[in-house]
Amino acid sequence: MGQPHTSTRRPRRAVPTALAAALVVVSSGCGMVGSIASADRLQLEPISVYSPRLRDGAVLPSGYSCKGSSGNPPLRWSRVPDGTKSVAIVADNNARAGGEVNWVVFDIDPRTNEVAEKSVPVGAVEGSTTSGKVGYAPPCRRGQSYRFTVYALNGKIHLGKGAPLSKTLKAIAEKTIAWGRLTAGHIQ
């Protein structure tokens, strides 16, 4: 059902900083927390992100929302660049105001290329979401689009399970060397 999706956007020099800042703003709701990705970083390489249950731009099946019981959707990715030391996943809604992060998983082994439904790879760590829950917090806002972003990192995050969202997102932003995204248009 899912088709491979590769971000074809080639960000300018300031885009990595803007992306990282957006993650921090979404998570905190009040602005930036600490320093973020270096503006000196050159273009980020795209990662291909896809799912056997989701199609980029299509609806998010209700089983993956607060109305269902499917847990996190399965995700797969490819084209992780050489030099990747760990992988992270952030699921959030694409709201300009009142955004929320529904899932954060980090310190995924760089040789891993998928997450199964209702699963986290061995050795990976889940951080806190906007609601404070550890693990996948199923989205409920029907009119929002939801993004599942996979980040290739140049190091591990080294935070514990349930780490505060602001610290986790800041660490991901500082270590990102590539990313790709799958977006669901709204909840079915």
Side-chain angles (χ1 to χ4, degrees), residues 140-154:
C140 288
R141 298 180 185 179
R142 296 189 77 74
Q144 301 291 325
S145 57
Y146 291 91
R147 305 179 298 189
F148 297 86
T149 308
V150 176
Y151 297 92
L153 308 177
N154 64 5

Side-chain angles (χ1 to χ4, degrees), residues 2-40:
Q3 296 295 317
H5 172 71
T6 301
S7 175
T8 56
R9 288 179 269 172
R10 284 295 190 180
R12 295 185 316 243
R13 292 178 72 102
V15 173
T17 301
L19 173 65
L23 280 174
V24 173
V25 170
V26 164
S27 68
S28 68
C30 62
M32 294 218 237
V33 179
S35 66
I36 54 176
S38 169
D40 295 329

Side-chain angles (χ1 to χ4, degrees), residues 1-5 49-65 70-76 89 91 103 115 117 136 139 146-149 181-188:
M1 180 171 170
Q3 296 295 317
H5 172 71
V49 181
Y50 48 101
S51 172
R53 302 281 185 243
L54 307 174
R55 279 195 338 252
D56 194 59
V59 299
L60 179 70
S62 61
Y64 302 115
S65 76
S70 299
N72 64 274
L75 297 172
R76 295 178 182 154
I89 300 171
W103 194 32
V115 172
E117 187 174 88
Y136 185 70
Y146 291 91
R147 305 179 298 189
F148 297 86
T149 308
R181 176 177 292 153
L182 177 66
T183 303
H186 60 279
I187 298 172
Q188 186 175 42

